[in-house]
Amino acid sequence: MSGSLLLLWACKKELSREGEVPPVVSTCSYAPYTAGSVFNYDHINSSNPLDTGFFTVTVTGDSTINGQTFRKLTSDTATTYDRCDGNGNYYQLVKGLSFEGYTADSIVSVYLKDNVNTGASWTDTVTVRKGSDAQTVILTYTVTQKGVQKSIYGLDFTNVIGVALSASVKFLGTTISLGTVATNYYAEGVGLIEIDQAEDTTRLRQYSINQ
């Protein structure tokens, strides 16, 4: 399950034991999606130069879904809904998703945890359907790096978190791995800055965050 912005999105608190460093309090700074903010991305397909271009994501305001407030992010091809709960969890809701004939009315996933260490992972389970055929897809997110610097198109980003997304499907009682779907990079104070896939790369070229 992938896409230009499928960031492709509950964590039980553990008691801190003596000598352990308590989790860092989240400030939701990895999703500063204020209304009116604009993010311009380049999309490059290494195997098909014709599938190369750019798109703009604009934060158009708030939407209330199932009693929770999400920020609405729109582009030419997709609309996603983003929420941070203040406890380190970042959620994304995608509606009307389709992939190889399978569809899902909506998917909510935790795409980022900003207060866990490198190597931490978590999973979300979604159900997709093709007619009467329903499949269970398991999305696994793993923090591959944290607190690093990354430069893109001359823009220098600090405190970057890398998150690898892999998928597997349950079929006839067996879990089949679909491999790594994408590795996403998020910068503090900016949000999503890069998506790396097998043949596609999406990078942030310009952005304007509305204060």
Side-chain angles (χ1 to χ4, degrees):
M1 302 225 140
S2 62
S4 294
L5 272 181
L6 191 56
L7 312 179
L8 286 191
W9 302 182
C11 177
K12 295 181 179 179
K13 295 182 179 178
E14 296 183 357
L15 295 176
S16 175
R17 293 185 287 272
E18 185 176 356
E20 289 187 347
V21 178
V24 177
V25 176
S26 172
T27 60
C28 296
S29 58
Y30 285 86
Y33 298 142
T34 53
S37 296
V38 178
F39 303 83
N40 296 316
Y41 294 91
D42 281 345
H43 172 75
I44 300 171
N45 187 318
S46 60
S47 64
N48 183 7
L50 296 179
D51 186 22
T52 297
F54 67 91
F55 62 94
T56 298
V57 176
T58 302
V59 185
T60 57
D62 293 343
S63 293
T64 301
I65 303 173
N66 296 329
Q68 296 177 323
T69 301
F70 288 78
R71 293 294 170 89
K72 185 177 181 180
L73 283 67
T74 61
S75 70
D76 293 339
T77 59
T79 297
T80 61
Y81 301 83
D82 196 282
R83 182 175 73 87
C84 172
D85 64 6
N87 293 317
N89 302 310
Y90 294 74
Y91 300 80
Q92 187 183 65
L93 183 150
V94 182
K95 294 182 177 180
L97 187 67
S98 62
F99 180 73
E100 295 187 355
Y102 286 88
T103 62
D105 292 336
S106 65
I107 291 177
V108 180
S109 181
V110 178
Y111 68 89
L112 174 65
K113 293 176 181 283
D114 69 8
N115 61 350
V116 298
N117 295 323
T118 301
S121 63
W122 60 96
T123 61
D124 277 320
T125 301
V126 300
T127 300
V128 296
R129 292 180 171 83
K130 180 193 291 185
S132 60
D133 180 24
Q135 299 290 343
T136 299
V137 179
I138 302 169
L139 305 176
T140 301
Y141 299 82
T142 303
V143 177
T144 59
Q145 52 187 203
K146 188 173 183 180
V148 301
Q149 296 184 346
K150 195 172 182 65
S151 295
I152 302 174
Y153 296 133
L155 300 174
D156 295 325
F157 302 101
T158 59
N159 290 328
V160 173
I161 301 176
V163 180
L165 168 61
S166 60
S168 58
V169 61
K170 287 187 176 181
F171 182 71
L172 299 178
T174 301
T175 300
I176 303 171
S177 174
L178 302 178
T180 299
V181 175
T183 299
N184 302 329
Y185 297 89
Y186 306 91
E188 187 175 29
V190 180
L192 178 71
I193 60 172
E194 183 170 324
I195 304 172
D196 289 340
Q197 296 173 276
E199 297 181 347
D200 300 82
T201 300
T202 300
R203 293 189 179 98
L204 180 66
R205 180 173 285 277
Q206 295 176 317
Y207 66 95
S208 174
I209 297 176
N210 190 16
Q211 304 295 329

